[in-house]
Amino acid sequence: MTKYSFLLIVLITLFGCKNKPAATVEVTDVQTPFVWENANIYFMLTDRFNNGDTSNDLSFNRKDDAAILRGFKGGDLKGVIAKIEEGYFNDLGVNAIWMTPIVEQIQGAVDEGTGLSYAFHGYWTRDWTALDPNFGTKEDLKKLVEVAHKNDIRIVLDAVINHTGPVTETDTVFPENWVRTEPQCSYQDYATTVTCTLVKNLPDIRTESTENVELPAHLVEKWKAEGRYEQEVKELDAFFAKTGYPRAPKYYIMKWLSDYITEYGIDGYRADTVKHTEESVWQDFKSVCDAAFDEFKANNPEKVIDDNDFYLVGEIYNYGISGGKYFDFGDKKVNYFDDKFTSQINFEFKWNAAQNTYEDLFSRYSNILNNELDGFGILNYVSSHDDGQPFDAMREKPLESATRLLLSPGSAQIYYGDESARILVVEGANGDANLRSPMNWDAIENDVKTQEILAHWQKLGKFRSNHPAIGAGVHKMISQEPYVFQRTYSQDNFNDAVVVGLDLPAGEKELSVGSMFNEGDLLYDAYSGKEVFVKNGKVFIKTPYTLVLLGKTKISISSPYISF
């Protein structure tokens, strides 16, 4: 929860009552609640963001022989911690960080037709109970969560239950009662999307199974060599006794993933490849995560950052907000919201952003979120790690990308480098490797144009993070020409209202604020840093910019790339 303590003196002149003395209004301890429906979630490939420890760049005798952008590049938890402490995320208005999986990955490499690839992306699990040393240690994770929470930032990890990593010369296949290695999915209907392997040589966890199975021999051998076999078995015995679940593969994995909640206090999970498992898996996963989060909060009341429930966002590939609560497999529609996910990634947003006017985009999203999806959320994005058709592939519209993403109803996913126009097309790279170039820190440090782009994202991000009305509120257009809209949000005793103008003329501007604010109210433009008073239902402001972001909260931005 962000807290602002200040004394605001507003002289309110009542229209038609010239002789009445001005009123003094004192506003103190304004508290802005964090709500996931309005979250600014920064999504990073952990390996590609920032290298904070060069000593762990190639663990397990991994080699530097991968195809272009298909090997480890050194990003790690220490690198993320450093950027949190520098204030990079706070300057951007980020209040949650989602990282690709950091659990131990396969050690070898495979060629899927795009060149030799290592598990730098984190989606090829070898051991869910350990962190991959390329990313850091459990002590690093503990510090990351602590530092993030101190800065009002939540940590979302990535949960993979659908599959293990590929089989290599050094990475054995899990037992047959744990995984299937065929058939390969053809994606024609529900069955050929769920009960199959995503691609060749990606063993599929038998998530439909309720059969009791033993631990894989290679994990037993590994844990014994590491001196922790007895402790792992003891914890598993306690979990299965407590929950009553059978010792089936999916429940082992749920237990291991829940440990990162009870031990470190992470705030959420993004669930990978959701539609490739039975929907009941996610109902059970929610129950396990909720219980683990309740346990952490009970045991660590001083570490609880807010009173939100555990966050679960699902990746149902190609789900769009137009589907409401349902995803259509062709022969079957499935509701992944009720009793499963807090939110879902909205793969439709990039198309809507490209094809719709601002008003069509904003009003339709607000209507769906405040009706059919009331109580749930969506996560919008303009680019991502596995979507080869981003909103702005050549980074020709970085300012519009920010404006559409950060002012749209719903939560916002800022994919690392969106805010700095990091390249998404790399010479010599194949497929999704193009989307995964290293973070362009040098451009941020030295390139003026990049700094101007970043400043735009920072202003919008800070405005959004301080105003839940943006993502979680109700949208209403005030005027079409010039385009001005309002958003309102209420929760318990907290009320929030903003007025935004887009595509305005540079220089002097006149905006109607409708009925949102009272005569004489003092408002702040978060884009220019200027203060204005409401007069006759309007504000008059002179800035060199073409957008105005009005609210009652004065927003502090410490970025070196912004000066008011």
Side-chain angles (χ1 to χ4, degrees), residues 483-535:
Y483 180 57
V484 181
F485 66 84
Q486 66 181 47
R487 298 271 172 82
T488 54
Y489 173 82
S490 296
Q491 181 190 66
D492 301 325
N493 295 321
F494 177 82
N495 297 296
D496 185 37
V498 299
V499 169
V500 175
L502 300 177
D503 295 334
L504 305 172
E508 294 183 350
K509 289 173 273 288
E510 175 185 316
L511 283 76
S512 171
V513 296
S515 59
M516 292 310 305
F517 302 111
N518 298 318
E519 183 77 4
D521 274 355
L522 175 63
L523 304 180
Y524 300 91
D525 173 23
Y527 205 83
S528 68
K530 290 193 172 184
E531 300 177 354
V532 292
F533 287 93
V534 177
K535 183 177 181 181

Side-chain angles (χ1 to χ4, degrees), residues 248-522:
K250 60 185 173 185
Y251 295 120
Y252 279 101
I253 298 172
M254 289 182 198
K255 185 273 176 190
W256 295 329
L257 290 171
S258 71
D259 287 345
Y260 295 96
I261 306 173
T262 54
E263 294 179 22
Y264 303 99
I266 66 168
D267 305 279
Y269 267 121
R270 175 266 192 182
D272 183 62
T273 52
V274 168
K275 72 178 184 181
H276 301 288
T277 64
E278 300 74 19
E279 54 269 32
S280 61
V281 169
W282 305 110
Q283 191 166 350
D284 290 337
F285 187 53
K286 175 176 169 54
S287 296
V288 171
C289 289
D290 287 345
F293 201 47
D294 287 343
E295 179 181 337
F296 174 81
K297 291 190 289 186
N299 294 336
N300 304 275
E302 75 285 357
K303 296 181 180 180
V304 178
I305 190 171
D306 57 39
D307 58 359
N308 280 288
D309 294 333
F310 192 76
Y311 180 67
L312 283 173
V313 56
E315 181 229 16
I316 299 90
Y317 206 90
N318 283 334
Y319 164 81
I321 189 174
S322 295
K325 287 187 177 182
Y326 292 88
F327 179 80
D328 191 353
F329 284 88
D331 64 333
K332 179 179 181 179
K333 290 185 177 181
V334 176
N335 177 351
Y336 289 103
F337 278 102
D338 291 332
D339 302 317
K340 301 174 186 71
F341 287 100
T342 316
S343 182
Q344 290 181 30
I345 297 173
N346 178 27
F347 289 81
E348 180 183 331
F349 179 81
K350 61 176 185 176
W351 302 117
N352 299 150
Q355 298 166 1
N356 297 161
T357 65
Y358 283 121
E359 178 57 23
D360 289 343
L361 174 67
F362 297 160
S363 60
R364 188 167 73 89
Y365 273 46
S366 177
N367 183 57
I368 295 174
L369 288 168
N370 285 288
N371 289 281
E372 186 174 359
L373 291 181
D374 187 30
F376 298 97
I378 56 168
L379 182 55
N380 301 317
Y381 71 87
V382 290
S383 72
S384 194
H385 67 314
D386 58 2
D387 188 335
Q389 296 179 301
F391 172 73
D392 180 23
M394 301 308 296
R395 299 298 198 187
E396 296 170 339
K397 301 179 288 185
L399 303 186
E400 182 184 349
S401 294
T403 303
R404 288 187 177 272
L405 177 66
L406 297 177
L407 293 180
S408 285
S411 302
Q413 168 192 306
I414 303 172
Y415 184 45
Y416 79 105
D418 278 346
E419 75 279 18
S420 54
R422 177 182 60 84
I423 59 173
L424 299 176
V425 179
V426 180
E427 184 178 356
N430 288 312
D432 54 20
N434 283 284
L435 309 171
R436 304 172 177 184
S437 58
M439 183 63 179
N440 55 335
W441 294 116
D442 184 68
I444 290 175
E445 186 70 24
N446 299 299
D447 183 68
V448 174
K449 183 177 179 180
T450 301
Q451 293 169 358
E452 291 172 351
I453 293 168
L454 177 58
H456 179 73
W457 281 80
Q458 289 175 331
K459 291 177 183 181
L460 286 167
K462 290 287 284 188
F463 181 65
R464 180 188 171 91
S465 67
N466 281 278
H467 289 289
I470 296 294
V474 176
H475 173 88
K476 181 182 178 182
M477 183 172 68
I478 295 176
S479 67
Q480 188 170 356
E481 292 289 343
Y483 180 57
V484 181
F485 66 84
Q486 66 181 47
R487 298 271 172 82
T488 54
Y489 173 82
S490 296
Q491 181 190 66
D492 301 325
N493 295 321
F494 177 82
N495 297 296
D496 185 37
V498 299
V499 169
V500 175
L502 300 177
D503 295 334
L504 305 172
E508 294 183 350
K509 289 173 273 288
E510 175 185 316
L511 283 76
S512 171
V513 296
S515 59
M516 292 310 305
F517 302 111
N518 298 318
E519 183 77 4
D521 274 355
L522 175 63

